[in-house]
Amino acid sequence: MLSTKILILQMSCQSYYEAYVQRLNSIVYESLTLKMGCYQYLKETLHSGDRKVLEAFPLMPIITEALHIDIVITLSKLLEGKIKLDDKRRKRSDRNFIHFINLVSSNRKKLLWRDEEIPSRIIEEHNKQLYDCEAMRHKLLQQRDQYFAHFDKE
């Protein structure tokens, strides 16, 4: 957290904001979206019941599972953090959507979006969207934690 504050002081608020937007944009649209498309295709192909596919590409189930795990971990990094003040989860990252929205909210008057001040209603809408998907976030973080835990006894 301290390193983030030092970085903000070294850069202008606007350039830090723009770099942050570019980083999130790159993660979501240049990486995550492609992985999700590949995963969907592989999953549908596996569930098609075509034995020829598995004979030709026997590693497909392993690659599909690896993509699934990578997607869960990436989404978890983007969505982890405290939305409510009474949230008991410890903060693991300051490079996620929640941190970004908080950063924008606290510096709203200093930042430009489309050459205008960022409207507070947009920040409120994004906060509401994150709050509304809390149950999904919780499940996703649980699944992520299971990937890092020991294998269950089978």
Side-chain angles (χ1 to χ4, degrees):
M1 184 73 167
L2 184 59
S3 62
T4 303
K5 289 180 181 178
I6 293 170
L7 184 60
I8 291 173
L9 292 174
Q10 291 173 343
M11 302 171 73
S12 77
C13 251
Q14 185 67 32
S15 61
Y16 181 75
Y17 163 76
E18 289 172 5
Y20 208 144
V21 168
Q22 181 57 39
R23 181 177 172 279
L24 290 175
N25 190 47
S26 175
I27 291 169
V28 171
Y29 294 107
E30 295 173 14
S31 176
L32 191 58
T33 303
L34 293 173
K35 290 176 186 177
M36 290 177 82
C38 290
Y39 171 75
Q40 186 67 32
Y41 171 78
L42 291 173
K43 184 178 172 188
E44 288 172 3
T45 303
L46 279 173
H47 288 92
S48 71
D50 187 357
R51 301 288 301 157
K52 292 179 187 175
V53 173
L54 285 175
E55 289 171 7
F57 193 39
L59 295 177
M60 186 180 277
I62 295 168
I63 292 171
T64 304
E65 182 181 12
L67 262 175
H68 180 253
I69 292 169
D70 186 83
I71 290 166
V72 167
I73 291 171
T74 302
L75 280 171
S76 297
K77 287 179 182 179
L78 290 172
L79 294 171
E80 71 184 346
K82 297 180 180 184
I83 292 180
K84 298 179 271 182
L85 293 176
D86 62 344
D87 193 341
K88 301 291 187 227
R89 284 184 291 236
R90 76 182 167 92
K91 186 177 166 193
R92 296 184 185 184
S93 171
D94 65 351
R95 302 288 183 188
N96 57 54
F97 291 132
I98 296 165
H99 179 266
F100 177 73
I101 291 171
N102 290 337
L103 176 83
V104 171
S105 180
S106 63
N107 294 289
R108 188 175 70 81
K109 302 233 182 240
K110 300 175 198 171
L111 300 172
L112 294 177
W113 178 64
R114 297 182 179 170
D115 297 323
E116 295 179 7
E117 186 178 285
I118 298 172
S120 60
R121 72 171 172 72
I122 289 185
I123 296 168
E124 291 165 8
E125 287 172 13
H126 289 161
N127 267 328
K128 183 180 178 333
Q129 289 171 351
L130 282 171
Y131 184 77
D132 289 347
C133 71
E134 178 61 26
M136 182 273 309
R137 287 179 60 244
H138 181 72
K139 288 179 185 176
L140 184 73
L141 294 173
Q142 280 183 322
Q143 189 174 14
R144 184 265 326 259
D145 291 345
Q146 287 175 351
Y147 289 137
F148 288 118
H150 300 288
F151 286 109
D152 293 336
K153 293 181 182 177
E154 294 181 7

